[in-house]
Amino acid sequence: MSFQETGLSEKVLAAVTAAGYTNPTPIQAQAIPHALAGRDVLGIAQTGTGKTAAFTLPMLCRLEQGRARARMPRTLILEPTRELAAQVEESFVKYGVNHKLNVALLIGGVSFGDQEQKIMRGADVLIATPGRMLDFFERGKLLLTGIEILVIDEADRMLDMGFIPDIEKICKLVPFTRQTLFFSATMPPEITRLTEQFLHNPVRIEVARPASAATTITQGLIATGHGYAKRETLRKLIREADNFKNAIIFSNRKRDVAILHKSLVKHGFNAGALHGDMDQPARMASLDAFKSGAVNLLVCSDVAARGLDIPDVSHVFNFDLPTHAEDYVHRIGRTGRAGKSGVALSLVTSDDVKYLSDIEKLIGTKVPWIGGGLDSVVDEGVKENGGGRGRRGAPDRSGKDRSRESSARADRFRERPRREHGLIASMEPVVPGEASEPAPAREERAERPARRRDARPPRAERPRREDAPAAREHAPSVRGPIERAPVERHDRRPRRGEQDDDRPVVGLGDHVPSFLLRPTKFVKTDKIPAEE
Ligand code: AMP
C-alpha cells in the first residue's frame, strides 16, 4: 500500500514526502485508514514501528477542519515521559509543516507560565504527561470538553509507572463521543481491562515486535565481576569496540547511572547521562548532546530512555541485565535500526545471571558468551548496590564475611564522615587511583537534599509524578508553582530495576516523630526571676 492509498490529505502527503518516506510501515498502513474513518484503534506496537506517524498523520487530516478555542484543546496525546512527549511534539512540527496548528506541550520540569499561555491561545494538539495535565485541569486552567481525539501512547509503560489511575480519570473527563487511539507494546491484563472500558468497538492492529531487528544486531554476554571490575570491563569494551561510533549504556538503577557517568567522565570518556532524577533541561541537554554527536556515550535508565528515537547508534551496552526481559528487547533495539548493523553487549555478574533465562526465552535464542562464562571470572570487585550484600561485614552468597577479606579490598572503602545528626550514614566504595576526587556515590548523595521532613522543600516545590520513581525518592531541582503534592500511590506497580529501596536510611529517614515537628511556644513575661 502507498501513502496515497491510505486516504491522507494532500497537505499531509506533501509533508510525508518531504520527510523522505516512500511507503507506510505496517502499523501506518493498517491504522491510518481506520483512524481517518473515525474508528477507535488499538495498536499493539512498539517504538521503531512508525507508530507515532500512525496516529499523528490522521490527526493532522482531522484537524484541517475547525479551530481551537481558548483553554479547550481539540486533541490530547498522553505520553508516559517528558522525552516521549517532546518527541511527539517534534513529529507534529515535522509532519505538520503545511498546517498552521497550535501544539502545546504540558510536561513537568518546565514553567507553568509558558504552557498556560499556549493553552490560553487555544491548542489544536495538547501533548502531555498525565500528572502535569491533571494539575492544569484541577486548577481550572484547562477544559477537556472539546477533545475530539484522545491518544494514549505507550500504555504498558504508563502501567509500569503507576499512571493507570490518572489515565482512567482522564478518560472519564474527556467526552464520551471522542475517538480514542490507543497504543501499547504489550497487553497485560490491566491494559486489556482499560481498553475494554474506554475503547468503543476498536480496530485491533498488531504488528510484529521489531525483535526481527535482532538479525542486524550482534549480541553477546560478557562475564564480569562487580563494582570497579564491572566498570573496568565496560571501559575495555568501549575502547576495544570495532566500528564504534557511539553507544547507549543502560543501567538498572538511577543511582548507578550517575555513578557510572561520573566514572566514565573521570576516565576521559565523552559521556552524558539520562535518568529520572535529572531536571528537565538537563535531560533534554543530554539527549541533544548525544543526538548531535557532542557526546558519544549516553548512560541511561530504562524509564528515561524507553521509546526514544535516536537513530544511528552503533553499540548498546547493558551495564546490568534488565530485570524485565521486555526491556532487553527495547534496549538492544536502540541499535541496528533501519537495516544498519549494531552491537549489543551485556555485562553479566553472578547477580545478573538470574535474568538471563527469561530474556533468552523472550527473544527465542541463546545469547553467546564472549570470552568465557561466569566460571572464568575471579570476582574481586565489591558489590555496591546490593543492599546488605556486598557491604563490609555482610555475608555474601558464599557465606563469607567480607570484612575478613583481603585488606586491599577493604581499602576501597572508607567511612563517610559523621553527619550533623551524629550517625554514620553508610560505607561507600572509593575507586582506586581516584581517591583525590570525590567518589561519585558520595557526590550523588551530597546533591541529594537531607531526607528529614523538616528539611524538605515546601509541598509546592516537590517534583511531579511524571517521573514517578524520581519523585518519590528525591527532592526536586524543578521549581514551579505546583500546589498539588505527589500522592503516594498504593496501586503502582514499581519496577524492580528502578527502585532505589536499597539505599541506606540516613538519620531518621523520612519518618520524623510528630512531637519533634510541633511548634515550640515561648511565653512572654515581664518578670525576670530573681537570681538565686
Ligand atoms: P516511531 O516508531 O514512531 O518512533 O518511529 C520510528 C522511526 O521511523 C522514526 O525515526 C520515524 O521518522 C521513522 N518512520 C516513521 N514512518 C516511516 C516510514 N513510513 N518510512 C520510513 N521511516 C519512517
Side-chain angles (χ1 to χ4, degrees):
M1 184 191 261
S2 67
F3 272 114
Q4 280 73 14
E5 289 170 88
T6 57
L8 291 170
S9 71
E10 288 304 319
K11 279 186 188 176
V12 175
L13 285 173
V16 165
T17 309
Y21 305 158
T22 44
N23 288 310
T25 63
I27 185 93
Q28 292 164 2
Q30 293 174 70
I32 292 171
H34 293 295
L36 286 173
R39 291 280 302 270
D40 280 6
V41 172
L42 167 58
I44 304 167
Q46 50 185 248
T47 351
T49 54
K51 72 177 163 64
T52 315
F55 62 79
T56 312
L57 302 180
M59 282 174 80
L60 285 167
C61 294
R62 291 276 305 273
L63 288 166
E64 284 170 13
Q65 256 90 60
R67 277 192 67 226
R69 283 184 282 161
R71 293 184 195 276
M72 288 181 72
R74 298 173 63 196
T75 59
L76 171 62
I77 301 172
L78 296 172
E79 293 288 338
T81 66
R82 302 164 185 180
E83 280 79 10
L84 281 172
Q87 201 166 280
V88 172
E89 188 194 26
E90 282 171 25
S91 294
F92 267 98
V93 172
K94 181 159 80 176
Y95 306 132
V97 281
N98 304 318
H99 296 72
K100 282 202 176 68
L101 295 177
N102 287 335
V103 180
L105 191 61
L106 273 191
I107 55 175
V110 179
S111 91
F112 269 64
D114 296 349
Q115 297 182 341
E116 193 184 347
Q117 262 184 15
K118 281 201 167 178
I119 289 175
M120 266 308 292
R121 260 190 279 149
D124 295 288
V125 184
L126 177 60
I127 307 162
T129 46
R132 179 59 74 107
M133 203 226 76
L134 281 173
D135 260 346
F136 261 75
F137 179 79
E138 283 162 13
R139 288 157 168 247
K141 294 185 184 301
L142 179 66
L143 295 168
L144 296 174
T145 40
I147 298 289
E148 298 161 33
I149 303 176
L150 170 68
V151 178
I152 299 168
D153 194 19
E154 300 267 340
D156 52 350
R157 176 60 39 153
M158 302 262 200
L159 173 71
D160 282 351
M161 294 177 74
F163 290 152
I164 294 304
D166 285 350
I167 299 294
E168 286 176 338
K169 198 170 176 185
I170 295 167
C171 283
K172 288 175 188 162
L173 292 170
V174 295
F176 181 78
T177 49
R178 92 245 158 199
Q179 178 184 15
T180 309
L181 309 175
F182 190 104
F183 293 86
S184 187
T186 56
M187 289 297 288
E190 297 93 325
I191 297 295
T192 304
R193 185 185 58 76
L194 202 64
T195 58
E196 285 166 357
Q197 194 180 352
F198 294 111
L199 268 64
H200 307 300
N201 189 23
V203 185
R204 185 185 166 106
I205 298 163
E206 197 161 346
V207 298
R209 66 173 68 252
S212 52
T215 50
T216 60
I217 301 171
T218 307
Q219 299 174 60
L221 304 172
I222 316 292
T224 180
H226 294 87
Y228 180 84
K230 201 175 189 186
R231 290 193 292 271
E232 182 53 34
T233 305
L234 176 71
R235 291 192 286 268
K236 198 163 175 288
L237 286 173
I238 299 169
R239 286 190 195 107
E240 295 175 1
D242 286 334
N243 301 321
F244 181 87
K245 179 174 172 260
N246 56 5
I248 301 184
I249 303 162
F250 286 97
S251 181
N252 289 352
R253 293 176 174 82
K254 289 173 283 182
R255 182 180 65 169
D256 289 347
V257 170
I259 292 174
L260 187 55
H261 171 232
K262 285 180 183 171
S263 165
L264 283 167
V265 170
K266 206 174 280 178
H267 280 83
F269 290 93
N270 191 10
L274 190 67
H275 62 82
D277 282 352
M278 292 165 63
D279 63 27
Q280 191 55 21
R283 284 161 69 151
M284 295 315 282
S286 278
L287 201 55
D288 289 346
F290 187 71
K291 282 183 175 175
S292 70
V295 300
N296 62 359
L297 296 175
L298 187 64
V299 191
C300 303
S301 63
D302 288 290
V303 166
R306 170 128 173 208
L308 295 182
D309 181 34
I310 306 171
D312 243 4
V313 175
S314 70
H315 286 66
V316 166
F317 295 106
N318 288 319
F319 186 70
D320 310 300
L321 273 184
T323 53
H324 293 252
E326 283 282 337
D327 284 334
Y328 181 82
V329 179
H330 285 289
R331 289 179 181 188
I332 70 166
R334 307 289 98 210
T335 184
R337 285 164 96 83
K340 294 207 173 89
S341 64
V343 178
L345 298 177
S346 303
L347 279 69
V348 186
T349 64
S350 53
D351 281 349
D352 296 313
V353 75
K354 57 180 176 280
Y355 304 121
L356 190 56
S357 58
D358 275 358
I359 290 169
E360 291 183 330
K361 201 155 48 166
L362 182 71
I363 61 173
T365 175
K366 288 259 174 218
V367 186
W369 290 93
I370 297 173
L374 277 172
D375 301 346
S376 61
V377 174
V378 181
D379 192 356
E380 278 298 316
V382 179
K383 297 170 192 176
E384 290 163 357
N385 55 15
R389 270 189 299 148
R391 293 231 180 79
R392 191 151 48 162
D396 66 9
R397 270 187 185 170
S398 61
K400 278 190 231 156
D401 181 342
R402 287 185 176 274
S403 66
R404 293 196 206 103
E405 290 184 7
S406 74
S407 59
R409 191 181 308 177
D411 283 344
R412 297 210 188 111
F413 286 81
R414 66 176 181 225
E415 280 187 8
R416 302 189 73 201
R418 282 170 187 272
R419 295 199 174 204
E420 58 187 55
H421 42 64
L423 296 175
I424 292 177
S426 72
M427 312 293 289
E428 68 182 22
V430 174
V431 179
E434 296 175 347
S436 57
E437 291 186 52
R442 189 173 64 254
E443 280 183 2
E444 200 215 1
R445 269 188 233 123
E447 280 166 20
R448 229 180 273 152
R451 299 178 68 194
R452 290 171 52 125
R453 187 173 293 173
D454 52 358
R456 289 165 84 189
R459 287 188 151 237
E461 292 181 5
R462 288 191 218 146
R464 296 290 321 133
R465 266 177 291 137
E466 273 83 304
D467 296 302
R472 284 195 311 153
E473 192 58 36
H474 292 264
S477 46
V478 175
R479 287 176 191 277
I482 302 167
E483 277 159 11
R484 204 161 57 103
V487 182
E488 189 62 43
R489 321 290 315 213
H490 300 291
D491 43 12
R492 59 176 269 125
R493 195 182 70 170
R495 297 165 56 74
R496 267 181 292 161
E498 283 289 330
Q499 276 178 341
D500 281 341
D501 53 3
D502 56 349
R503 290 178 182 169
V505 173
V506 178
L508 292 164
D510 274 337
H511 174 71
V512 179
S514 57
F515 74 88
L516 282 179
L517 297 170
R518 245 182 257 147
T520 313
K521 280 188 186 159
F522 294 97
V523 181
K524 244 186 166 180
T525 172
D526 295 336
K527 286 182 193 159
I528 301 168
E531 273 184 34
E532 288 178 357

